[in-house]
Amino acid sequence: MKNNPSQPPTAAEVAAYFQGNEATEYQARMIRECGQRLKTYPFERVVTNPYLLACHHRFCPDCQRRRAVDWASALRSVIDRESMPAPNSDTRRAPHWIAIRLPGVPCDASDLQNQLETLIEYLYLARDQPFWRYNVRTALRLLQVEINQVADRELKITPTFTCLVSVSRDLLNAQIQGRLIQRVTRDWIQPENPDSWLGPHSFIIPTATTRERDSLQNKVSRMIENHYPHSNRQTFLSIVEQLKGVKTVAMYGPEGTLFRPPNISQADDFRYEQEYSVSRIGEDLPESISGNRGLELLPWHIAK
């Protein structure tokens, strides 16, 4: 399999990870048939509902590409809206955007889920602190999973959260003076061996011009599209299993309220993920966006 982060895999290449194993073969069919009218999961049928043409599998590169574009466009709309000058507005309250990179500690593939639970707990603790709650207006949180080979050729997994945040002028000054990263480091995890750990990093995101916003939008789209690595089959399937139900993208609006663009719903993907990862037959699944037991899939509606 390819492992080039700059070149996303094709649907056929991702499907190959799931192929050849009775427990995941049906997911390979889902991904291979994404966008096609003829489906074999959960049984042979012809899809007429345009929404059900996509497989909605969380690791389908075609579906993930669409999600990435939607999330990046949502962020762009927030930046554009916040940057619009209001009558008699105070220029000191103009939006300022900062990226904060929060790496986890490299771990074995089998320990990824525990690591993620720890990192997410730290994020929730920080969000409840007045310092962050009152100084962060909007935040887009992205999860990326990286694989590195250590000296003994063992693979280590590093989950990293990147937070793109619209901050107050005070927090911008703290970034310029170097005080922000000190606060971030204090509030983040403390590894047992910090010498070989890069630690948190922060920098200012330029958003003043259209060109800068275009560049940011494209980078965010690529980050979301390439949020997980493509290593050997065993490691990949282990990562897939442990990312089940984990939000890879989350956007928060003023005072921490979740900002949901109308055309994006991770909840739907999670609900479908619960279904296709539990049942390999499909007929016993409840009616949902997967279309199972919907009118379209009833035997007398299936094209012969």
Side-chain angles (χ1 to χ4, degrees), residues 58-70:
R58 289 188 67 200
F59 291 88
C60 169
D62 294 337
C63 291
Q64 185 65 9
R65 190 174 302 113
R66 287 189 287 270
R67 296 185 191 103
V69 170
D70 287 343

Side-chain angles (χ1 to χ4, degrees), residues 134-150:
Y134 297 133
N135 286 295
V136 173
R137 299 170 182 169
T138 307
L140 180 67
R141 191 195 74 193
L142 311 177
L143 170 63
Q144 288 186 296
V145 179
E146 301 172 350
I147 294 181
N148 293 294
Q149 196 171 58
V150 295

Side-chain angles (χ1 to χ4, degrees), residues 194-218:
D195 294 337
S196 58
W197 187 59
L198 296 177
H201 175 61
S202 63
F203 56 91
I204 296 173
I205 305 174
T207 59
T209 67
T210 299
R211 183 174 181 178
E212 290 171 340
R213 295 177 201 174
D214 288 344
S215 176
L216 174 62
Q217 182 176 348
N218 292 333

Side-chain angles (χ1 to χ4, degrees), residues 17 35 40 53 64 84 87 122 128 149 179 198 217 222 254 260 262 275 292 299 301:
Y17 283 107
T40 62
L53 288 174
Q64 185 65 9
M84 292 179 63
Y122 271 86
D128 291 337
Q149 196 171 58
R179 293 184 288 109
L198 296 177
Q217 182 176 348
R222 288 196 300 270
R260 286 198 184 103
E275 294 177 1
N292 296 309
H301 285 282

